[in-house]
Amino acid sequence: MDPIVEAALKKWPQVPHCWDWLGLDARGDWYLRDDPTQAAGPFARVKGSRLQHEGLCDFIGRNYQADEHGAWYFQNGPQRVYVELEAAPWVWRLAADGTVRSHTGRPATVQGCWLDESDRLFLHTDVGFGLLFSLDTLAASDALDAGRWPAPQVLPFAEMPGRFGYRLSPAADRQRTP
């Protein structure tokens, strides 16, 4: 977490959380969801405005983490901004040399592979669980064929959040619980 964020948390510890204003899609892009966007539907159906400012995206990535219930958020100064996930908390990219990095640039080591019913490849890493970026599928098949990664297991997408301990929609979960 950035030092400026830690300082803001100490100065203003009681700032209310923010829900449904930020989303992460299956390509690793951040989306801002204003009131009209939220009213138009859930994140997977209505994304909002893609954030393109490199500095802002880097700041979000450096301050992105999960709470004790598996809900992912961006700590924006003293305010926790919960993130709506299209598929998983991490989106993995493969470099030409075979290394794996998250959508935030964090390096990772593959520990397990999973395929859902749509043949999307998910990777369980030392950093956490996430979806492989769709354009890196060919490079991933090379890693699998070469035996650098474990053979993929099949798991329905609906079971992945429970199995790997994350929440796709903290806002929807919040509305369902008293």
Side-chain angles (χ1 to χ4, degrees):
M1 194 178 304
D2 286 1
I4 193 167
V5 172
E6 291 175 350
L9 277 167
K10 288 177 185 168
K11 188 171 183 177
W12 300 290
Q14 301 300 323
V15 174
H17 300 327
C18 182
W19 305 89
D20 207 18
W21 278 82
L22 186 64
L24 176 68
D25 78 353
R27 298 181 65 79
D29 290 324
W30 300 107
Y31 283 83
L32 184 62
R33 296 176 40 79
D34 60 13
D35 283 329
T37 301
Q38 292 176 41
F43 176 65
R45 194 164 35 105
V46 184
K47 290 185 178 180
S49 301
R50 186 167 68 91
L51 297 178
Q52 299 181 54
H53 188 279
E54 188 176 328
L56 176 58
C57 292
D58 289 346
F59 179 67
I60 292 171
R62 287 192 312 272
N63 297 286
Y64 177 61
Q65 56 197 323
D67 70 12
E68 65 277 8
H69 305 290
W72 285 79
Y73 64 92
F74 152 54
Q75 190 67 49
N76 183 26
Q79 186 170 54
R80 187 175 284 191
V81 179
Y82 280 96
V83 178
E84 298 293 298
L85 304 174
E86 185 173 358
W90 298 106
V91 177
W92 302 114
R93 298 296 315 259
L94 301 184
D97 65 0
T99 58
V100 177
R101 289 197 173 271
S102 73
H103 64 282
T104 65
R106 193 168 174 182
T109 302
V110 176
Q111 298 174 338
C113 302
W114 302 85
L115 284 171
D116 73 0
E117 62 275 12
S118 299
D119 290 329
R120 295 184 300 176
L121 183 62
F122 291 78
L123 305 177
H124 188 240
T125 74
D126 59 333
V127 172
F129 185 78
L131 175 65
L132 179 74
F133 184 71
S134 60
L135 296 180
D136 292 342
T137 304
L138 183 59
S141 68
D142 292 341
L144 288 163
D145 289 345
R148 292 192 303 269
W149 297 350
Q153 299 178 47
V154 177
L155 184 67
F157 176 70
E159 294 179 23
M160 290 181 180
R163 173 125 187 202
F164 294 99
Y166 66 94
R167 294 163 60 192
L168 289 171
S169 179
D173 292 346
R174 175 177 170 251
Q175 293 170 1
R176 283 194 292 266
T177 56

